[in-house]
Amino acid sequence: MEREALNFVIEREEQPVVISGEDYVLIELDGKKRDTYLNDLSARLRISPMGKPAGIKDFINLQSGLLSMSLKKVVGGERVAVDKKPIQAWPASTISGLFEAAKNLSGLGNDEDADDADAGAEKTTRGREAFVVYAGRSPSHECATMPT
């Protein structure tokens, strides 16, 4: 039985993002940054007496850590890294929506996450639509998308 060829594109995917009228872009992690994120995540795991993962023991900077690796602010045509500290000052709903989009863009989400990509917004992990976030609130509690 002949198997169908696997076909990959080496270019990292990008997702335009608008936060309170300002332009940003989520960029798919490369292998090194993905591994850094996964190492950080594994260090946060609580292990049961049976040696199995039993939850996360520390959530501080969990979401902002991933976002600081993948979110860039567009300033005068240049992409500027966004540090964890300003991300932590954003509303939790904004951070959570961006975190889910970043996980899915980099293939870090599970199957359930893929169904709920972009916090309920139309799935836009291929960079063909802008992910719009209204700091402090979002339409009907969900994030919205807008064609670019």
Side-chain angles (χ1 to χ4, degrees):
M1 171 154 103
E2 187 173 327
R3 293 181 181 247
E4 189 174 319
L6 297 175
N7 189 4
F8 296 96
V9 177
I10 300 299
E11 296 171 2
R12 290 188 282 161
E13 294 291 334
E14 297 185 356
Q15 175 67 57
V17 178
V18 179
I19 302 173
S20 294
E22 297 189 58
D23 292 329
Y24 293 79
V25 63
L26 279 172
I27 302 170
E28 180 180 6
L29 298 178
D30 61 21
K32 184 176 181 179
K33 286 183 180 177
R34 183 219 39 229
D35 293 349
T36 298
Y37 171 75
L38 292 175
N39 279 342
D40 180 57
L41 184 61
S42 68
R44 297 169 181 270
L45 291 178
R46 181 177 297 126
I47 305 299
S48 75
M50 301 298 290
K52 305 264 185 198
I56 296 178
K57 58 185 173 186
D58 180 12
F59 288 89
I60 295 175
N61 289 324
L62 175 68
Q63 293 182 334
S64 63
L66 176 62
L67 292 176
S68 69
M69 288 191 278
S70 61
L71 185 66
K72 307 294 182 208
K73 185 172 184 177
V74 180
V75 179
E78 297 291 321
R79 294 176 175 190
V80 180
V82 182
D83 193 52
K84 293 176 193 174
K85 189 173 182 176
I87 293 170
Q88 286 291 73
W90 294 346
S93 59
T94 300
I95 297 168
S96 292
L98 289 168
F99 177 72
E100 289 303 317
K103 280 191 341 182
N104 289 319
L105 186 65
S106 291
L108 296 169
N110 59 34
D111 292 336
E112 290 175 19
D113 289 339
D115 293 338
D116 296 329
D118 301 335
E122 182 180 334
K123 188 173 180 184
T124 59
T125 59
R126 292 295 148 201
R128 289 170 181 70
E129 296 184 12
F131 184 73
V132 180
V133 179
Y134 301 89
R137 63 182 168 74
S138 57
S140 71
H141 179 65
E142 303 294 338
C143 297
T145 59
M146 174 174 132
T148 56

